[in-house]
Amino acid sequence: MCGIVGYTGPRVATEVILSSLKKLEYRGYDSAGVAIVGEELQLHKDKGEIAVMESTLPSFEGGVGIGHTRWATCGRPSKPNAHPFTDCQGRLALVHNGIIENYAEIRRELLAEGHRFTSETDTEVLVHLVERNFEGDLRQALVKSLAVVKGTYAVVLVEKGARHIVAARKENPLVVGLGVGENFLASDVTALLDYTNKVLYIMDDEVVEMTPEKVTIYDPSGRPVQRRPEVISWSAEEAQKGGFEHFMLKEIFEQPEAIRNTLRSNLEILENGGLLGNAEASSVKIVACGTSYHAAMIGKYVIEKVAKVPVAVELASEYRYGTGAKEHPLVVLISQSGETADTLAAAREARRRGCRTLAITNVVGSTLTREVEEVFYTRAGPEIGVAATKTFITQLVGLYLIAMRLAQARKAMSVDELRTMRAQMQQLPQVVRKVLDGSSKVEEAADMLADARDVFFLGRNLNFPTMLEGALKLKEISYIHAEGYAAGELKHGPLALLDSRTPTVAACPKDHTYDKMLANVAEVQARESPVLAIGFEGDRDLAQVASRVILVPEVPPMFSPFPITVVLQLLSYYAAKRRGCSIDKPKNLAKSVTVE
Ligand code: M6R
């Protein structure tokens, strides 16, 4: 996730900006840059760590400036794509977090008008738009420019020879830090705490203008807003976690946003045939490890149902041992990091076998993106907790969209059916939000698991892999032994292990598996294993058979892995917390597994 900072005041702006940017490093980034206002704008940026950029930074003079750490989304991680960007005249410099959805169209227009671009980013259109609209009032020019932009932003601008900074926000965080004779601006308070703990949070569609002496916030109609500053009592570490106790919990709560961003930046690309052109694969193989493998398993059900294409799923570490006989023409490789050694090896092997390759990853420019022909980017933002949460849920979004794309190409769904599915997908952020709103109930229910030595997770159909993922989450962060099972397999062995000390978690959405799941729950309870059942709101029958019930918003059955996954993530989190585990860094595990 990109980081923004800004400063205006008597100090050396470069020093403030560098130290504040370093406080935002935890957000993840691949390049960094600064622009300092002097008689001319002084600009410096580079790919890689802030220290790399700093090592070649000239001693810029000036007390006004902006800085940025970039997490690549549109355009590779590279020096030209790093922020800030300047206009053609070198009069304005701008940094941005978010996505400009209609940038391609705006860029075409601006190119035709003679504007010169130096990067592949969506952001660069903003500075040229402001240049086009600038008639001496920077704030007015920004407001006019944002009126034609579709997307999300925290955007910050400085102007040659001026002491003010102008910024605006839509669905991306922006906070002003108030000093005495100086003012600050950043993506989060972490960057400000060395200088001030008095802050003003900027809200969606507001614009802010600040000088060393004054900060004015404007509402969408241009009227000044009166806002009382908040006093922050968090430590820097608490601030990085946005007030959450762990990164994992913060990332679980970021899922509505992550889903929305992934949909926003991919829906149109897919619908306009921008991926998998001539997508007529007669069969598909999906290859991945760990949590990404569970997403692949869910993807198999969805693609087969929606696009009517046979799908095989294989662990990346096993793929190399296959003979390649009757190879599937399309191989989809899933890796949130894009650096997992086994998945990279599988991508090379798939190409060696002559397959078309598509990666689903969260990291722009990762090694995997260079090993495949096409890439679908999830837009979860960096994930810091070792346990994959928001990256998993956005991988699901990716697989559902790819299923729609294949269905469209193969005419396996009518236009109306595709439209309905699109609308259902757009409801997912709200569905997940509602589950999160009920997190305290899940926290209470986690007591059922916290003292167990073993836990079973049961589901059927596409919730069989959902429960495999639930079991993986619990074991990796709480160190409780957990097994995911297809509920129908229970009688074929695991039933022998059930007793009153072995709780079971069961996915029971009202779909075609419901009656059988209910019978399985009764079967388990009969062995005295306490059952925690997850069902849809309005279900009164579940409580008759299960020890405890968590109800989630009803969704069309195909989408049930979304709300159920969120419950499972929260259950693991709260069980691990009760056991006092090191949740963000579980023992023996690494975020990125770069050895085979
Ligand atoms: O980066 P990848 O998606 O390729 O990582 C694969 C697994 O190592 C990963 O999903 C792992 O299972 C999760 N961190 C577990 O939460």
Side-chain angles (χ1 to χ4, degrees):
M1 227 161 350
C2 306
I4 282 182
V5 300
Y7 175 72
T8 176
R11 304 181 199 235
V12 178
T14 327
E15 285 170 14
V16 179
I17 287 168
L18 283 176
S19 84
S20 303
L21 279 181
K22 284 177 190 164
K23 294 285 182 336
L24 297 180
E25 281 188 304
Y26 78 94
R27 295 162 72 94
Y29 67 101
D30 48 58
S31 54
V34 299
I36 306 296
V37 177
E39 277 178 28
E40 296 298 321
L41 281 180
Q42 309 160 89
L43 189 77
H44 188 69
K45 51 191 186 177
D46 212 339
K47 186 178 163 187
E49 295 185 2
I50 296 172
V52 172
M53 186 266 289
E54 190 179 2
S55 65
T56 52
L57 183 67
S59 51
F60 291 154
E61 296 202 348
V64 183
I66 51 177
H68 191 262
T69 45
R70 174 171 188 253
W71 164 267
T73 51
C74 181
R76 287 160 300 156
S78 69
K79 184 171 172 175
N81 289 341
H83 302 210
F85 293 104
T86 52
D87 64 332
C88 302
Q89 319 287 328
R91 204 162 52 162
L92 309 170
L94 173 147
V95 291
H96 162 235
N97 293 351
I99 304 171
I100 305 301
E101 290 163 33
N102 56 340
Y103 83 97
E105 180 190 325
I106 300 176
R107 186 178 164 118
R108 271 194 303 277
E109 265 177 40
L110 291 163
L111 278 169
E113 289 171 21
H115 289 265
R116 294 181 308 280
F117 284 79
T118 55
S119 78
E120 302 160 322
T121 65
D122 53 342
T123 296
E124 201 182 358
V125 300
L126 289 176
V127 74
H128 292 282
L129 268 180
V130 179
E131 177 181 27
R132 179 214 261 174
N133 294 319
F134 188 51
E135 291 171 358
D137 184 332
L138 191 57
R139 179 169 64 86
Q140 294 297 350
L142 178 61
V143 170
K144 200 167 171 192
S145 304
L146 293 176
V148 300
V149 158
K150 281 197 219 148
T152 66
Y153 45 78
V155 58
V156 185
L157 269 160
V158 287
E159 177 188 350
K160 187 169 95 177
R163 293 162 73 224
H164 64 175
I165 296 182
V166 173
R169 161 197 162 135
K170 184 172 195 172
E171 293 178 37
N172 274 263
L174 198 58
V175 52
V176 167
L178 300 171
V180 178
E182 59 181 352
N183 286 305
F184 307 80
L185 196 130
S187 299
D188 73 47
V189 290
T190 326
L192 308 174
L193 290 175
D194 278 352
Y195 303 99
T196 179
N197 63 352
K198 264 172 77 184
V199 304
L200 291 168
Y201 285 98
I202 308 303
M203 303 298 163
D204 276 349
D205 299 311
E206 287 180 346
V207 176
V208 57
E209 182 160 15
M210 65 187 211
T211 62
E213 297 79 26
K214 195 171 172 204
V215 175
T216 314
I217 302 172
Y218 296 89
D219 71 11
S221 58
R223 276 190 296 266
V225 174
Q226 296 307 319
R227 182 160 305 146
R228 196 176 291 199
E230 290 185 37
V231 177
I232 301 293
S233 55
W234 294 340
S235 68
E237 200 197 325
E238 283 165 342
Q240 287 183 348
K241 292 177 187 150
F244 288 95
E245 202 173 333
H246 295 94
F247 281 112
M248 181 183 176
L249 190 61
K250 176 171 180 262
E251 287 155 6
I252 291 173
F253 273 79
E254 282 170 352
Q255 291 180 116
E257 186 80 21
I259 295 172
R260 198 172 292 121
N261 285 340
T262 303
L263 285 171
R264 184 179 273 146
S265 71
N266 289 294
L267 254 172
E268 278 181 29
I269 303 180
L270 283 153
E271 286 172 351
N272 297 332
L275 203 66
L276 292 173
N278 166 30
E280 287 185 359
S282 52
S283 67
V284 179
K285 176 162 264 187
I286 317 182
V287 182
C289 301
T291 290
S292 300
Y293 176 72
H294 297 147
M297 289 177 76
I298 296 175
K300 169 182 162 67
Y301 289 90
V302 177
I303 297 173
E304 288 187 344
K305 183 173 171 58
V306 167
K308 318 273 184 296
V309 190
V311 180
V313 177
E314 193 160 2
L315 288 165
S317 53
E318 292 294 315
Y319 183 70
R320 73 193 61 187
Y321 306 119
T323 58
K326 282 214 210 131
E327 194 44 85
H328 306 263
L330 172 64
V331 174
V332 178
L333 299 118
I334 312 179
S335 170
Q336 72 81 20
S337 62
E339 301 297 346
T340 300
D342 284 318
T343 312
L344 293 176
R348 289 177 202 125
E349 176 62 16
R351 291 189 68 186
R352 197 189 62 75
R353 293 183 197 174
C355 308
R356 175 175 185 166
T357 49
L358 166 74
I360 301 181
T361 184
N362 194 43
V363 183
V364 176
S366 54
T367 310
L368 184 61
T369 63
R370 297 193 292 273
E371 297 287 353
V372 295
E373 286 144 82
E374 291 186 281
V375 184
F376 177 103
Y377 284 114
T378 53
R379 301 298 188 189
E383 194 173 63
I384 292 162
V386 164
T389 52
K390 60 178 181 169
T391 53
F392 172 71
I393 217 151
T394 54
Q395 287 169 351
L396 294 187
V397 172
L399 288 158
Y400 281 56
L401 289 179
I402 287 168
M404 285 169 71
R405 169 77 189 105
L406 291 168
Q408 178 199 42
R410 297 167 56 83
K411 303 201 174 27
M413 276 174 113
S414 69
V415 173
D416 278 352
E417 285 170 325
L418 281 165
R419 199 172 296 136
T420 303
M421 185 163 169
R422 182 191 218 271
Q424 288 164 339
M425 296 213 58
Q426 282 174 319
Q427 292 306 310
L428 291 172
Q430 287 96 294
V431 169
V432 169
R433 168 64 49 216
K434 278 199 184 153
V435 181
L436 294 170
D437 289 345
S439 65
S440 56
K441 289 204 189 92
V442 185
E443 181 168 10
E444 284 164 25
D447 284 353
M448 265 180 84
L449 312 186
D451 296 322
R453 213 186 63 177
D454 311 286
V455 178
F456 277 88
F457 285 76
L458 304 181
R460 285 176 180 260
N461 195 237
L462 83 178
N463 282 311
F464 158 44
T466 310
M467 299 314 264
L468 288 177
E469 174 57 12
L472 175 63
K473 258 339 47 117
L474 186 69
K475 65 186 130 190
E476 72 173 319
I477 62 165
S478 72
Y479 317 141
I480 299 171
H481 168 238
E483 294 259 12
Y485 256 93
E489 276 294 288
L490 211 57
K491 295 190 208 56
H492 301 285
L495 211 49
L497 293 171
L498 295 182
D499 59 26
S500 59
R501 289 162 309 154
T502 313
T504 296
V505 183
C508 307
K510 277 239 162 137
D511 61 11
H512 60 295
T513 69
Y514 182 74
D515 292 342
K516 288 200 166 53
M517 278 307 301
L518 235 53
N520 291 135
V521 169
E523 208 167 56
V524 171
Q525 289 269 170
R527 270 78 190 173
E528 292 181 3
S529 163
V531 176
L532 171 58
I534 307 171
F536 282 157
E537 274 165 6
D539 186 335
R540 297 218 171 83
D541 301 330
L542 266 184
Q544 311 297 319
V545 286
S547 319
R548 189 162 197 145
V549 172
I550 293 177
L551 298 179
V552 296
E554 179 158 6
V555 289
M558 192 169 54
F559 295 98
S560 58
F562 286 85
I564 293 176
T565 290
V566 180
V567 172
L568 298 174
Q569 294 167 342
L570 289 168
L571 269 180
S572 303
Y573 172 80
Y574 288 120
K577 188 175 150 195
R578 260 222 29 206
R579 291 164 72 92
C581 298
S582 163
I583 293 183
D584 287 330
K585 290 189 183 144
K587 65 178 184 215
N588 306 337
L589 296 181
K591 186 68 186 161
S592 203
V593 185
T594 52
V595 286
E596 293 180 352

